[in-house]
Amino acid sequence: MKKINISLIILFLFFNMTSAQMTRGRHGPGRRNNFGGKMFFYQVYNFADTTDFKKSRADFQFSVVNDILTFVKSDSENQYRARYEVGVTIYNKKGEALTNNSISNTVTVSQFEETNSRINPHRHKISFSPPPGKYNYIVNLYDEESKASLQRKHSIDLRSFSPDQIRFSDIVFADEIKCVQNNYSYTPNLQGVFNNIRSSFAAYFEIYPPQTSDSISVNYRIYDKQNKQIFSDSGTFKRKDVIAKCITFKKFIKKPGEYVLMLHSGDGIKARSEEHTSE
């Protein structure tokens, strides 16, 4: 039986703060928005398009809180309403628009205090599956009531997931996660820090084995800043096109600080996620 081993290195930070926020995407920094606060978050995660492995899927995950939106009062219904649109446009290196997509949403609340809420954010996902390569993109948040627009421009390098060798997706740190056989769902942590004790403190990623492998062996460990190992485990997975893996580590984190989650074996293939930090 042929086995393939992989190695991933993930660095994440835990801060004992109740309002830590950041504005950076998975593939680059964000900007302070012109609505007056850092209340709009996004991250971009790169996965294989499992319907066509010649393509590379980019998942844009968004989080929008009420406090960034403009609410208007409806006298007839005694309610407050906000309308907005989140959109993404993908460009090639020549600056030509290749594709775009957007999601519109209406928020209605009955109490004025709710218009200033920063909890229970509205979450959205927009996905694209172009061929692997380097692209530019613009993320746009448009407020229908105030006609104000917030844009973020950045670049993204979508990797190849062809089955000629082992591949793995980006790692998604998650506040909520559900991992049941053939049923995986998660709420990504878009702020870059785990600052809510109710968080699942979890990670999700996918492995795409080469066609020649029979099984995949993965070891994963957690170290603190002093390089002391506080958790160790391993798993062996039979080959299939996509191996989805969830890891929860909340019970192993005893105090705030900086920790490293490592997935590794002896074949020398390595990847490192971006740091989770706060502004």
Side-chain angles (χ1 to χ4, degrees):
M1 178 183 295
K2 182 181 293 185
K3 294 185 178 181
I4 303 293
N5 297 319
I6 70 168
S7 177
L8 306 177
I9 301 177
I10 308 168
L11 176 64
F12 54 93
L13 307 182
F14 293 84
F15 292 95
N16 188 19
M17 297 185 291
T18 59
S19 59
Q21 296 182 329
M22 62 177 294
T23 54
R24 60 179 303 179
R26 170 61 180 83
H27 294 277
R31 299 178 181 177
R32 293 182 181 274
N33 65 63
N34 52 13
F35 291 83
K38 294 176 285 185
M39 296 166 285
F40 172 52
F41 303 96
Y42 81 99
Q43 298 271 2
V44 191
Y45 303 102
N46 195 189
F47 290 87
D49 184 332
T50 54
T51 64
D52 184 353
F53 278 87
K54 294 180 181 179
K55 297 181 178 180
S56 188
R57 191 180 90 229
D59 286 352
F60 287 77
Q61 297 272 5
F62 300 95
S63 172
V64 183
V65 298
N66 285 357
D67 202 19
I68 200 174
L69 303 174
T70 301
F71 284 80
V72 295
K73 186 176 182 180
S74 172
D75 294 330
S76 60
E77 299 179 1
N78 196 29
Q79 292 182 326
Y80 300 87
R81 183 197 68 192
R83 297 176 298 166
Y84 66 93
E85 179 182 273
V86 177
V88 181
T89 303
I90 305 294
Y91 299 85
N92 61 19
K93 288 187 286 187
K94 296 180 180 179
E96 301 168 331
L98 301 178
T99 184
N100 64 81
N101 198 359
S102 62
I103 296 174
S104 298
N105 191 34
T106 299
V107 181
T108 303
V109 298
S110 57
Q111 302 294 327
F112 176 77
E113 292 77 10
E114 296 178 75
T115 67
N116 297 318
S117 174
R118 296 191 182 188
I119 61 175
N120 300 320
H122 312 288
R123 293 184 175 267
H124 308 284
K125 182 174 79 169
I126 296 176
S127 297
F128 300 94
S129 292
K134 294 183 178 181
Y135 300 90
N136 297 318
Y137 67 83
I138 294 179
V139 168
N140 185 66
L141 173 63
Y142 178 69
D143 190 307
E144 295 278 0
E145 308 299 345
S146 67
K147 309 303 179 184
S149 182
L150 164 66
Q151 286 193 346
R152 295 178 183 170
K153 301 178 182 180
H154 205 65
S155 60
I156 185 172
D157 189 358
L158 299 180
R159 306 189 304 278
S160 170
F161 292 96
S162 61
D164 59 325
Q165 68 178 62
I166 190 169
R167 312 280 185 175
F168 42 87
S169 73
D170 282 345
I171 296 95
V172 181
F173 291 104
D175 284 321
E176 298 178 8
I177 199 163
K178 179 181 179 181
C179 293
V180 184
Q181 187 174 9
N182 299 322
N183 184 11
Y184 301 92
S185 62
Y186 52 82
T187 300
N189 181 307
L190 303 182
Q191 298 187 24
V193 294
F194 289 101
N195 54 17
N196 189 334
I197 193 63
R198 292 175 294 181
S199 170
S200 295
F201 288 71
Y204 173 86
F205 62 93
E206 295 179 356
I207 306 169
Y208 312 106
Q211 294 178 339
T212 55
S213 66
D214 296 324
S215 65
I216 301 290
S217 296
V218 180
N219 299 315
Y220 37 93
R221 301 166 186 164
I222 295 178
Y223 297 87
D224 63 16
K225 193 173 183 178
Q226 286 71 43
N227 204 35
K228 180 181 177 181
Q229 180 177 299
I230 63 173
F231 170 73
S232 177
D233 203 351
S234 63
T236 300
F237 311 94
K238 293 183 179 180
R239 189 204 177 278
K240 51 184 178 180
D241 288 343
V242 181
I243 298 172
K245 180 61 181 175
C246 304
I247 298 176
T248 57
F249 37 80
K250 183 175 184 177
K251 63 181 179 180
F252 305 106
I253 306 301
K254 304 300 183 182
K255 58 183 179 180
E258 182 177 331
Y259 298 85
V260 178
L261 168 62
M262 299 182 65
L263 289 80
H264 65 91
S265 62
D267 72 336
I269 299 177
K270 295 184 178 180
R272 186 182 186 98
S273 76
E274 293 187 2
E275 294 183 7
H276 270 39
T277 60
S278 67
E279 286 189 347

